[in-house]
Amino acid sequence: RVRAAHGDDCQGLEGVISQPGMSLTFQTLHSSTQLQIQRIACRPETRACSAEEYAPANILVFPLHGIFMKHHACGGEVLVACGSALFFNAGEPYRISHPTGCGDDCLVLEVPEGPSDFRHTHASIDSRTLLHARSLWTLLQAERDDLAIETTAFELFSNVVDSAHVAELAPR
């Protein structure tokens, strides 16, 4: 939901953005020309919808803690919690609300060479993919190992995008 300037020089960049009704804290955990990973914490003051927001790039979001609702401008909405992944297309309007009023913490992946647009709004992730996301989080918290971080992040990104596509094709 928030992105710092892209590039190698924003490693470790942190900030707080206050909006009416909520506060967003972000930290760039990894940044290269191929991948940017941020941790974003949202702390709402109310359960109401946020102001309209736009993703600055196509991003894939993994909730680590908390529950929130993404309200699409077209009228759809999705409840998001740990065990799911959320796709944001650059420039598409949305709003966020927190039905429990408790906020959320998310891991955000941006792959500049990824799909030009996501075809899905969200995906349920299986236990293996959830473990993969937790492994990435652990790598990011440990000492820097850029190759392991990028390999794990690209595998995670690919697995989620591919599994959302397979789920779409599966017979109902």
Side-chain angles (χ1 to χ4, degrees), residues 86-167:
L86 196 55
F87 300 99
F88 287 77
N89 284 319
E92 287 185 0
Y94 65 92
R95 295 177 188 271
I96 298 294
S97 66
H98 294 83
T100 63
C102 295
D104 64 86
D105 293 283
C106 295
L107 195 59
V108 178
L109 275 63
E110 178 191 341
V111 179
E113 298 299 320
S116 59
D117 276 322
F118 294 119
R119 295 181 2 204
H120 308 279
T121 58
H122 64 286
S124 294
I125 56 177
D126 61 19
S127 57
R128 185 184 67 117
T129 305
L130 184 58
L131 182 59
H132 215 114
R134 292 296 175 167
S135 296
L136 176 59
W137 178 245
T138 300
L139 281 169
L140 290 162
Q141 301 305 304
E143 289 188 25
R144 309 289 324 153
D145 182 350
D146 289 346
L147 180 59
I149 288 169
E150 292 204 1
T151 300
T152 303
F154 285 127
E155 288 173 357
L156 177 61
F157 186 91
S158 179
N159 288 346
V160 172
V161 171
D162 290 348
S163 68
H165 181 67
V166 167

Side-chain angles (χ1 to χ4, degrees), residues 63 65-69 79-82 97-105:
H65 305 285
I67 297 172
F68 65 94
M69 180 90 64
L79 184 65
V80 184
C82 190
S97 66
H98 294 83
T100 63
C102 295
D104 64 86
D105 293 283

